[in-house]
Amino acid sequence: MQTEKEKQGDTSVEEYVALSNFSGSSSDQLCFNSGDRLLVHAKPSSEWWWAELYGVRGYVPASYLRQDAAAEEEEDNHTSLEDQWQDEEYFGSYGTLRLHLEMLSDKSRTEAYRKVIVSNSASLRSKVVMDLGCGTGIISLFCAQLAQPSEVYAVEASSMAEYTRQLVKQNGCEQVVTVLQGRAEEIELPKQVDVLVSEWMGNCLLFEFMVESVLLARDRWLKEGGVMWPSSAALTLVPCQANSYYAEKMTFWEQPYGLDFTPLQPLAQQEFFTKPKFNHVIEPDDCLTAPSDVLCLDMYTLQVKDLEEIKGQFHFCVEKPGVFHGFTSWFTVHFESLETGGATVELNTGPNSQPTHWKQTLFMLDRPVSVHAGDSISGTILLRRNPFWRRHMTITLHWSINSCKKETDNCQANHRLGQRVSPCGGDRFSVGHGDPQENSRINLLLSLGSVRYQW
Ligand code: GJV
């Protein structure tokens, strides 16, 4: 029988099967259902492929597709949930010292947790604490040494737990701290806890989705009225300049060794700007506007199902003229006091705080746009959890720029952005001039393999 591929006579076309449903968030993306067979025509980046379904072509996220044979094999083998969580690789990497060294060397992070314990030491007396994903046990040791909890359950799934047990003993805390090796979802605690503390935050706050384990543990092990540390979390965004990164990856091709390499620029754009840059360090001066929180999570009310799709909005007012290269994001978490009216502790990973190992995340635009003081940048952010690879997500940003300059100036920005920019006016969504889909857009897929454990 002739395959679809042969019928097309195009040997570069490959057939893939969709692992789960996907609804495109713009007109150049396809919508498809689990089990649909798509023809992939091109793979312009490792994340977004150009594919066809029922004669319609559009971009599709590569991680939602499996090559035919592989998909059938996976179906046969009933790909286990653990695979979708990539636990072997994930906990394998936390079984070595590299990541623990990185986390412990991060003073802002570690000191923030110590500060939480110290400033709540009186109220922690006789309390039962669960430290979820304790790693080398630093938070549990702070609790035991700086406060007087009755018990601390230090839960750790990786093989580091064996060493953590030794460290607890070595530091004379074995009366208080019990190390339990296993997945927090599966472990049995002797009793419910008053405090659930965890350092679960990943890149762009949610990456790794360890937060799911924390929410499940909360529902099972936190006493009524118990405390979550962190108690809330926020993701912040700011439109920014990224001159040196842009020069390094894009302007470079204009004249290397006196030659014109500009035909490589579209490739450079695909290769370097369609993925977030995780290790970005933004200078406060590169922020074009005041930053704004685009999503806030309440650790008491947040539900696991809420993590599938999280939407946020933004509206920024440009404060100074500059080149808009992209958006930078970071997160902040808050630890409420155990005492009513007590001071809240904050761990802020933004550019105006002490640097952390999370640094910031940069999302580059396709093309830079000149902006002026008074312009506004409005839009939405969508974090969509990968339905198959449970530790991953796709981030989509839509935005439009309202220029306060005259229409003629807009034209230039309009042209350079390849989109319709509406003229000035207070109306932040006055892009009613055109199809909202025409607005600029970035779709970014956090690539497979947790960044935290790959790098
Ligand atoms: N159960 C037990 N330990 C876990 C779990 C879980 N469900 N998930 C992660 N860990 N901030 N993104 C452990 C993991 O092995 C590692 O030692 C630590 O928690 C990760 C903490 C930093 N990761 C993060």
Side-chain angles (χ1 to χ4, degrees):
M1 210 178 73
Q2 223 186 6
T3 64
E4 198 61 32
K5 199 155 122 181
E6 283 156 356
K7 267 185 249 163
Q8 299 239 337
D10 180 354
T11 48
S12 65
V13 176
E14 292 173 278
E15 195 178 63
Y16 279 81
V17 179
L19 288 168
S20 53
N21 301 351
F22 176 77
S23 46
S25 53
S26 67
S27 53
D28 63 354
Q29 291 178 8
L30 289 182
C31 297
F32 53 80
N33 292 319
S34 173
D36 279 347
R37 286 169 186 273
L38 292 97
L39 297 174
V40 174
H41 289 272
K43 297 177 178 176
S45 78
S46 52
E47 280 81 28
W48 291 96
W49 292 349
W50 184 246
E52 179 181 335
L53 180 66
Y54 307 126
V56 181
R57 293 192 187 194
Y59 284 105
V60 296
S63 64
Y64 280 56
L65 305 181
R66 273 280 162 284
Q67 204 130 32
D68 212 5
E72 272 161 25
E73 205 174 291
E74 273 182 11
E75 235 166 68
D76 290 349
N77 294 343
H78 298 294
T79 314
S80 65
L81 204 62
E82 282 92 86
D83 292 339
Q84 288 184 253
W85 280 86
Q86 298 164 294
D87 275 357
E88 212 176 298
E89 190 187 351
Y90 182 76
F91 291 123
S93 62
Y94 281 116
T96 65
L97 273 188
R98 189 175 60 88
L99 292 170
H100 296 289
L101 181 61
E102 187 184 25
M103 292 186 287
L104 291 171
S105 309
D106 180 342
K107 285 238 170 73
S108 322
R109 163 204 180 263
T110 311
E111 293 290 0
Y113 279 84
R114 172 150 68 182
K115 192 170 167 193
V116 174
I117 310 300
V118 170
S119 54
N120 286 281
S121 63
S123 330
L124 274 169
R125 179 186 267 272
S126 308
K127 293 283 191 314
V128 182
V129 180
M130 175 182 192
D131 174 5
L132 195 161
C134 69
T136 50
I138 189 80
I139 301 173
S140 296
L141 293 169
F142 286 158
C143 284
Q145 294 207 327
L146 306 169
Q148 291 170 303
S150 63
E151 264 132 313
V152 178
Y153 303 127
V155 179
E156 173 56 47
S158 79
S159 58
M160 190 52 61
E162 293 156 33
Y163 290 94
T164 310
R165 227 169 256 136
Q166 289 180 34
L167 299 180
V168 166
K169 212 159 177 203
Q170 191 81 8
N171 289 281
C173 297
E174 71 270 29
Q175 299 300 328
V176 178
V177 181
T178 310
V179 178
L180 301 160
Q181 183 172 1
R183 262 180 141 262
E185 292 83 336
E186 288 149 21
I187 219 111
E188 292 294 325
L189 299 187
K191 52 170 97 103
Q192 288 207 305
V193 303
D194 300 289
V195 177
L196 170 47
V197 61
S198 180
E199 193 277 86
W200 53 263
M201 300 80 72
N203 280 304
C204 282
L205 183 62
L206 290 174
F207 201 44
E208 290 177 44
F209 284 90
M210 183 177 162
V211 67
E212 174 167 329
S213 310
V214 174
L215 299 181
L216 294 171
R218 173 198 69 191
D219 296 344
R220 184 143 185 236
W221 296 112
L222 189 67
K223 279 185 199 167
E224 187 85 31
V227 165
M228 296 290 288
W229 279 339
S231 322
S232 64
L235 189 71
T236 305
L237 205 63
V238 73
C240 66
Q241 305 200 123
N243 282 314
S244 51
Y245 185 60
Y246 188 81
E248 182 192 318
K249 303 290 184 207
M250 192 54 74
T251 320
F252 174 86
W253 307 105
E254 283 174 12
Q255 252 196 344
Y257 305 94
L259 299 166
D260 183 352
F261 272 32
T262 51
L264 295 180
Q265 282 185 327
L267 208 60
Q269 194 274 322
Q270 272 298 326
E271 199 166 324
F272 304 120
F273 297 167
T274 57
K275 274 182 264 205
K277 179 176 181 279
F278 291 111
N279 58 354
H280 188 61
V281 178
I282 187 180
E283 294 297 325
D285 219 34
D286 282 334
C287 298
L288 294 166
T289 75
S292 164
D293 289 351
V294 287
L295 43 109
C296 297
L297 307 179
D298 176 336
M299 292 303 291
Y300 293 94
T301 55
L302 183 67
Q303 299 296 315
V304 173
K305 64 173 170 19
D306 300 337
L307 300 171
E308 295 302 321
E309 206 171 87
I310 306 178
K311 287 179 189 153
Q313 287 198 351
F314 49 83
H315 179 67
F316 297 106
C317 296
V318 177
E319 286 170 357
K320 56 182 180 191
V323 182
F324 175 27
H325 280 114
F327 292 94
T328 292
S329 84
W330 62 85
F331 66 82
T332 303
V333 291
H334 289 102
F335 303 82
E336 65 180 20
S337 172
L338 289 178
E339 287 147 42
T340 12
T344 299
V345 176
E346 179 184 282
L347 167 55
N348 186 324
T349 65
N352 294 311
S353 303
Q354 285 299 308
T356 70
H357 75 290
W358 286 285
K359 300 182 180 162
Q360 287 93 35
T361 305
L362 171 64
F363 302 92
M364 290 294 277
L365 311 191
D366 287 352
R367 264 167 253 100
V369 188
S370 289
V371 289
H372 310 95
D375 290 354
S376 67
I377 301 170
S378 311
T380 57
I381 181 168
L382 171 68
L383 287 82
R384 196 188 268 153
R385 192 170 178 187
N386 189 302
F388 191 81
W389 301 110
R390 302 308 280 156
R391 294 197 186 276
H392 304 274
M393 64 180 169
T394 305
I395 295 182
T396 306
L397 290 159
H398 285 272
W399 73 93
S400 61
I401 304 168
N402 280 0
S403 175
C404 68
K405 289 263 173 176
K406 289 195 301 283
E407 192 78 50
T408 42
D409 287 351
N410 264 341
C411 285
Q412 199 196 358
N414 194 350
H415 173 70
R416 289 173 59 195
L417 198 61
Q419 69 159 23
R420 192 176 289 264
V421 181
S422 51
C424 157
D427 185 0
R428 54 195 255 203
F429 288 113
S430 59
V431 272
H433 288 272
D435 177 353
Q437 304 289 18
E438 277 182 48
N439 294 334
S440 209
R441 171 189 51 76
I442 329 180
N443 282 295
L444 296 149
L445 188 74
L446 298 186
S447 59
L448 281 183
S450 154
V451 201
R452 189 83 178 261
Y453 62 81
Q454 268 183 346
W455 299 0

